[in-house]
Amino acid sequence: MKYRFVCTPTPGYDDNKPTNMGRKSFDARCSFSGGKPNRCVIFPGNVSMVAEALERRNKNWIVRTKIASDLIVQVGDSIFHLHKLPVVSKSEYLNRLVFERRSNGERGSKSPKIHLDNLPGGTETFELVVKFCYGWKVDVTATNIAALYSAAHFLEMSDDLEKGNLISKTEAFLSFVMFSSWKDTFQILKSCESVTSWAKEFHILKRCSEAIAWRACINQKAFDLDDFDANNTQELKPEGIVDSSWWFEDVSSLRIDHFIEVIESIKRKGMKSELVGLCITKWTAKWLSQISFGLNNITPKHLTRQLRRVTTESLIKILPEEENSVSCNFLLHLLKLGLLMKINGELSKKLERRIASMLEQCCVADLLVKNHGENETVYDVDTVIRVVERYVSSVLRDPAPRIFVVGRLVDGYLTLLARDKHFKANSFQLLAQALPKTARHCDDNLYQAMDIYFKWHPNLTEEERTSVCKTMEYHKLSQEARQHMMKNDRLPVRLRTQLILLEQVNVTRSMTGAGSTFRRTKAQAIIRVSQGLEKEWMRSQKEIKMMKEEVETMNMQLNQLNMCKIELQKQVQSWH
């Protein structure tokens, strides 16, 4: 909806001509209609000079009147040829500058020159100011009110000089728009991008943010899902109820600094933390869609690396502290982005701790954070490793039985990533070893992940296969898994040999008596092999050779026992 705030002469005068000089009365008429453009017609007070027109000749702006110009104001590259009386009568700032030049010896100069290089809004805004000073019609909309309001304050055009001056008129329009039009409030915020510092100084950003927060929270309180009985399917929603996230789309379109202002205002108004978290997630998703990671040219080009780093840090700082207000997956994306942008170390650690505290409630899908590089894994592994290590460091200080849940989570994550051709053996090993060995009751899931990984990576060296298998513990495998491993030609030869030897030891144990020397020899072998599995499986080829010799000795003893058994059976049969 378009609003027009118009300073015009009295009815009966031509709109294209200024008001009569010397008019002392002040009048105002405001019309705000729904279907038509809103129009506020205000008749200014004392108009000091009649001006026929404001003409532009290249970079020169000339007020055409019967009196010669006696004041030059330069705004950027544009030069305005004006008159002191109508300008200084409404602007305390210009009045002061003119007086200072006269005091500094420029009395003889017919047209003192004033530079306004830092005027909010520049030439376009000053053109509106000039029209206002000369009593011409001024159209004010949501797109130019921020700059004009700031310029009015910059030029000190208050009612102390003249009743109904530009500050009071723009203030009235600004207040009306902010509390009557949701869309125009965002338009004002958008227009503040060109005058951000002035908009902050004159509290335009704060006021717009509070107006947006007030509307968003009012609609939230109009209907709360918690007030309804979930089991009562006959309950009808009240008429006019809208989705509680109706404001997300508009708020997520704001620039980061304006977005932060709005979010902070919404949080102060008491908005539910879950809705705040979802809105931050939506804004971040929009922002991330504009950036391509892993490329030399990051789009959009006008976003510098420093700006992206500051943006990431700002997003982390405004996250609601309440539990479950944001998802683990979103936080992982934010952490990945923070590590890429090299954000403040304390902020990244804080984020890691928060994600680590959520791992016990996560599923594998929550850990999936996509990479964008050509030679990278489909999903980011390094960030997950950091979080798991942070979790382990916190659990070791305060052990909890829920660590087994995280163990299953990591094994499921490894199984999912095992088919990725870019998944390095070193990364597999680091993630598998990030958890302590006590985190797994059974290593069957870990073995499944390893088997899939070896199947999809047939070109791994023997050393790489051995390093991947170091985390797995033989005694934590089920009998089915052990049988499968001994037949699995994808495993390292050394590991398969050890497994076969151990199985032979187990067979021997089942066939020998409780008190025999042979059993003690077998027990020592089991201990020795188990230690070898935990400490790089075996320390030397010499030990393997000794194990083979020992097994051969045990086989000979078994043969002797079998022979004795046969002879005893024959003797028993002969007795009968």
Side-chain angles (χ1 to χ4, degrees), residues 66 219 233 310 391 456 473:
K66 296 179 181 179
N219 278 276
T233 56
V310 172
Y391 170 81
W456 285 82
E473 295 186 288

Side-chain angles (χ1 to χ4, degrees), residues 478-573:
S478 65
Q479 185 62 34
E480 292 77 10
R482 294 178 188 178
Q483 294 296 327
H484 186 276
M485 288 181 69
M486 287 188 292
K487 300 175 184 178
N488 192 346
D489 57 2
R490 290 188 286 269
L491 294 178
V493 175
R494 183 179 177 183
L495 175 60
R496 291 179 61 199
T497 303
Q498 293 167 350
L499 292 174
I500 293 172
L501 292 175
L502 284 173
E503 283 302 310
Q504 289 179 344
V505 170
N506 287 335
V507 171
T508 303
R509 179 182 182 184
S510 64
M511 297 182 63
T512 57
S516 66
T517 304
F518 176 74
R519 188 174 72 96
R520 289 194 299 271
T521 305
K522 172 272 309 173
Q524 293 170 359
I526 293 177
I527 294 173
R528 212 161 35 243
V529 174
S530 297
Q531 291 176 344
L533 288 174
E534 294 176 357
K535 300 177 180 179
E536 302 180 4
W537 299 97
M538 294 295 288
R539 295 182 179 179
S540 65
Q541 291 294 332
K542 183 178 179 181
E543 190 171 358
I544 295 177
K545 184 177 179 181
M546 292 175 61
M547 283 288 299
K548 290 181 178 180
E549 292 174 353
E550 191 171 0
V551 170
E552 289 176 359
T553 303
M554 288 188 289
N555 285 334
M556 291 177 60
Q557 293 177 358
L558 279 174
N559 290 332
Q560 292 176 359
L561 287 173
N562 285 331
M563 292 296 295
C564 292
K565 178 181 178 182
I566 293 173
E567 292 179 0
L568 287 173
Q569 288 177 346
K570 288 181 179 180
Q571 291 178 6
V572 170
Q573 289 177 358

Side-chain angles (χ1 to χ4, degrees), residues 123-267:
T123 302
E124 293 182 3
T125 302
F126 192 68
E127 178 189 357
L128 299 178
V129 172
V130 170
K131 288 182 177 180
F132 179 83
C133 291
Y134 282 90
W136 283 74
K137 180 176 66 174
V138 178
D139 286 335
V140 184
T141 65
T143 57
N144 64 17
I145 182 60
L148 188 59
Y149 181 83
S150 300
H153 279 273
F154 178 87
L155 297 172
E156 302 174 23
M157 303 177 71
S158 67
D159 282 9
D160 293 339
L161 291 179
E162 181 179 296
K163 184 178 176 64
N165 210 341
L166 190 56
I167 288 180
S168 61
K169 294 185 185 300
T170 52
E171 169 65 33
F173 180 79
L174 185 64
S175 299
F176 172 78
V177 171
M178 286 192 300
F179 288 98
S180 62
S181 173
W182 171 265
K183 291 293 184 182
D184 282 343
T185 303
F186 282 92
Q187 188 64 53
I188 293 173
L189 276 178
K190 183 68 176 177
S191 68
C192 286
E193 293 180 3
S194 60
V195 290
T196 298
S197 59
W198 301 109
K200 287 183 178 179
E201 181 177 346
F202 301 128
H203 307 294
I204 301 176
L205 288 179
K206 182 179 180 181
R207 292 171 62 184
C208 287
S209 300
E210 290 179 347
I212 292 171
W214 177 76
R215 282 194 169 226
C217 292
I218 286 295
N219 278 276
Q220 176 205 16
K221 293 174 182 177
F223 174 67
D224 194 333
L225 290 175
D226 294 338
D227 293 337
F228 284 83
D229 183 2
N231 297 321
N232 187 2
T233 56
Q234 302 300 321
E235 187 75 60
L236 297 177
K237 292 184 178 180
E239 184 178 357
I241 292 307
V242 295
D243 180 34
S244 57
S245 61
W246 63 272
W247 48 277
F248 284 10
E249 189 64 33
D250 291 318
V251 173
S252 62
S253 67
L254 296 173
R255 201 173 71 176
I256 181 61
D257 51 344
H258 299 169
F259 176 72
I260 291 173
E261 286 276 355
V262 171
I263 289 296
E264 293 293 354
S265 296
I266 286 176
K267 288 164 72 174

Side-chain angles (χ1 to χ4, degrees), residues 11-29:
Y13 286 86
D14 188 350
D15 278 349
N16 295 319
K17 294 183 180 181
T19 57
N20 284 346
M21 182 189 306
R23 181 176 177 83
K24 301 295 183 181
S25 62
F26 175 82
D27 191 12
R29 296 175 185 174

Side-chain angles (χ1 to χ4, degrees), residues 4-165:
R4 298 181 66 217
F5 175 90
V6 186
C7 300
T8 68
T10 57
Y13 286 86
D14 188 350
D15 278 349
N16 295 319
K17 294 183 180 181
T19 57
N20 284 346
M21 182 189 306
R23 181 176 177 83
K24 301 295 183 181
S25 62
F26 175 82
D27 191 12
R29 296 175 185 174
C30 298
S31 173
F32 306 112
S33 57
K36 299 179 181 180
N38 291 325
R39 180 182 178 90
C40 182
V41 181
I42 299 176
F43 304 104
N46 185 16
V47 179
S48 305
M49 181 174 292
V50 174
E52 297 177 3
L54 177 61
E55 298 178 350
R56 181 179 181 180
R57 301 173 185 173
N58 295 325
K59 296 183 179 181
N60 291 285
W61 296 75
I62 300 173
V63 176
R64 186 154 51 86
T65 182
K66 296 179 181 179
I67 302 175
S69 170
D70 58 359
L71 176 64
I72 297 176
V73 178
Q74 182 170 347
V75 182
D77 295 333
S78 300
I79 299 175
F80 290 80
H81 299 268
L82 309 175
H83 303 83
K84 295 177 185 176
L85 183 59
V87 173
V88 301
S89 64
K90 289 183 173 61
S91 170
E92 180 67 27
Y93 179 72
L94 292 177
N95 190 352
R96 190 163 57 250
L97 291 182
V98 171
F99 179 77
E100 288 175 356
R101 278 158 176 71
R102 292 183 61 185
S103 301
N104 292 334
E106 297 183 16
R107 186 183 301 271
S109 175
K110 292 184 179 180
S111 301
K113 190 172 184 178
I114 297 174
H115 293 269
L116 297 177
D117 294 330
N118 56 344
L119 178 75
T123 302
E124 293 182 3
T125 302
F126 192 68
E127 178 189 357
L128 299 178
V129 172
V130 170
K131 288 182 177 180
F132 179 83
C133 291
Y134 282 90
W136 283 74
K137 180 176 66 174
V138 178
D139 286 335
V140 184
T141 65
T143 57
N144 64 17
I145 182 60
L148 188 59
Y149 181 83
S150 300
H153 279 273
F154 178 87
L155 297 172
E156 302 174 23
M157 303 177 71
S158 67
D159 282 9
D160 293 339
L161 291 179
E162 181 179 296
K163 184 178 176 64
N165 210 341

